[in-house]
């Protein structure tokens, strides 16, 4: 049971980090399912940065910069040039998959996966005092900094959205852009900035995948986690705390799927497909909710 809880926290972290990026995009009125491609960018360039510099923190920094640039490109296309967000996001996802696959072959000479003794993973942190507490220490201590950072970011997002004037402006942009513009808020500037910042969250999620779980990168490593992250946003109704809860639910499903492979009674593919089925249902519910809102308006 303790292993399941610890595994849930580890597997929920990349989903939560990316979901926080999707959350702020949703709040500012930008539909962003490019989280998948942004996570993949972060995962690959984090590993590339470690291989190049030798430091996981340098790798994370390089991943943040390059992923933010990709997010900025997506934001400009959607916000400034009014391209369709769904088609543009799918293009970003395909671009990220193509760039990472090509770069693997170009830089490392391997199309399947990247392994190297030069690649150093993120360090594990043992929390003082808590680490010595039975059971609680096993559950809450011994993770990478990305895990603890994700919890801090949940609190910061909640404080920013509901306790600051900038957060109120951000929510106004998403809920009523015309009223926001009338009030003197630069709507497009807010949207582009927020979508670019979402790239930072996705870069952190990707680096946790490639340098927190393991110290390697495999082709299409995100495996749909970006879409699951957006589903967590939908189920959490774009509220930081509820998104945390939704991410833990998806993390539990993923953790269970790993453990199901150890038992013959439950076929692991059945458990592994549940997050994706829930993702489809969530997107359909979102579409229906928006359709009803448009009819009422």
């Amino acid at each position: 049971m303790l292993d399941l809880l610890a595994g849930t926290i580890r597997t929920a972290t990349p989903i939560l980090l990316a979901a926080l990026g999707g959350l702020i995009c949703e709040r500012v009125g930008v539909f962003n399912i490019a989280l998948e491609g942004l996570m993949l960018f972060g995962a690959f360039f984090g590993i590339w940065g470690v291989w190049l510099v030798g430091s996981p923190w340098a790798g994370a920094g390089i991943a943040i910069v390059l992923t933010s640039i990709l997010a900025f490109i997506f934001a400009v296309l959607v916000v400034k040039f009014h391209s369709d967000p769904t088609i543009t996001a799918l293009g970003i996802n395909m671009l990220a998959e193509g760039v990472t696959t090509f770069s693997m072959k170009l830089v490392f000479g391997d199309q399947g996966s990247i392994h190297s003794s030069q690649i150093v993973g993120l360090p594990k942190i043992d929390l003082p005092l808590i680490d010595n507490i039975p059971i609680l220490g096993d559950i809450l201590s011994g993770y990478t900094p990305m895990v603890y950072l994700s919890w801090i970011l949940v609190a910061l997002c909640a404080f920013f959205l509901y306790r600051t004037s900038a957060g109120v402006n951000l929510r106004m942009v998403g809920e009523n852009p015309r009223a926001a513009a009338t009030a003197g808020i630069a709507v497009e500037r807010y949207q582009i900035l927020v979508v670019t910042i979402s790239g930072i969250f996705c870069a952190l999620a990707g680096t946790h995948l490639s340098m927190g779980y393991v110290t390697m990168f495999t082709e299409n490593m995100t495996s749909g986690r970006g879409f699951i992250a957006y589903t967590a946003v939908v189920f959490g109704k774009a509220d930081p705390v509820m998104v945390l809860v939704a991410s833990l639910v998806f993390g539990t499903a993923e953790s269970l799927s790993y453990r199901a492979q150890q038992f013959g009674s439950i076929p692991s593919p059945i458990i592994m497909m549940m997050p994706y089925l829930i993702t489809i249902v969530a997107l359909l519910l979102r579409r229906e909710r928006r359709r009803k809102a448009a009819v009422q308006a």
Side-chain angles (χ1 to χ4, degrees), residues 160-190:
F160 173 78
L161 287 173
Y162 302 121
R163 301 291 181 180
T164 66
S165 58
V168 172
N169 291 343
L170 187 150
R171 288 188 288 123
M172 185 185 297
V173 167
E175 293 168 7
N176 196 329
R178 287 187 179 180
T182 303
I185 299 172
V187 173
E188 288 189 352
R189 187 180 301 172
Y190 259 88

Side-chain angles (χ1 to χ4, degrees), residues 29-111:
V30 177
F31 176 59
N32 186 3
I33 55 170
L35 303 175
E36 177 77 6
L38 296 173
M39 283 181 68
L40 191 61
F41 235 58
F44 173 78
F45 285 105
I47 285 291
W48 179 75
V50 173
W51 176 80
L52 195 67
V53 182
S55 166
W57 303 115
I62 291 172
I64 287 172
V65 171
L66 295 178
T67 307
S68 297
I69 292 173
L70 185 62
F72 175 76
I73 293 171
F74 171 74
V76 170
L77 290 173
V78 172
V79 176
K80 202 72 176 175
F81 295 100
H82 306 289
S83 62
D84 184 273
T86 303
I87 295 174
T88 307
L90 292 176
I92 291 293
N93 292 338
M94 293 173 66
L95 174 66
E97 184 175 353
V99 167
T100 53
T101 301
F102 175 76
S103 299
M104 285 174 63
K105 183 66 175 178
L106 182 66
V107 178
F108 298 96
D110 193 340
Q111 272 186 312

Side-chain angles (χ1 to χ4, degrees), residues 106-240:
L106 182 66
V107 178
F108 298 96
D110 193 340
Q111 272 186 312
S113 60
I114 298 172
H115 304 270
S116 175
S117 58
Q118 294 177 246
I119 298 175
V120 181
L122 292 166
K124 304 294 190 298
I125 297 177
D126 294 323
L127 297 178
L129 301 179
I130 293 178
D131 185 50
N132 297 323
I133 300 175
I135 300 179
L136 192 62
D138 295 330
I139 298 173
L140 298 180
S141 184
Y143 302 108
T144 68
M146 296 301 178
V147 174
Y148 304 113
L149 179 61
S150 68
W151 300 348
I152 295 171
L153 288 173
V154 169
L156 290 178
C157 282
F159 178 81
F160 173 78
L161 287 173
Y162 302 121
R163 301 291 181 180
T164 66
S165 58
V168 172
N169 291 343
L170 187 150
R171 288 188 288 123
M172 185 185 297
V173 167
E175 293 168 7
N176 196 329
R178 287 187 179 180
T182 303
I185 299 172
V187 173
E188 288 189 352
R189 187 180 301 172
Y190 259 88
Q191 291 177 325
I192 291 174
L193 177 62
V194 166
V195 175
T196 303
I197 291 173
S198 75
I200 298 176
F201 287 95
C202 291
L204 295 174
T207 53
H208 178 75
L209 276 178
S210 59
M211 296 189 291
Y213 281 174
V214 289
T215 52
M216 61 178 290
F217 177 85
T218 59
E219 187 176 347
N220 197 23
M221 189 174 193
T222 49
S223 300
R225 288 181 178 87
F227 297 110
I228 294 174
Y230 182 76
T231 308
V233 176
V234 176
F235 272 95
K237 296 182 178 179
D239 177 79

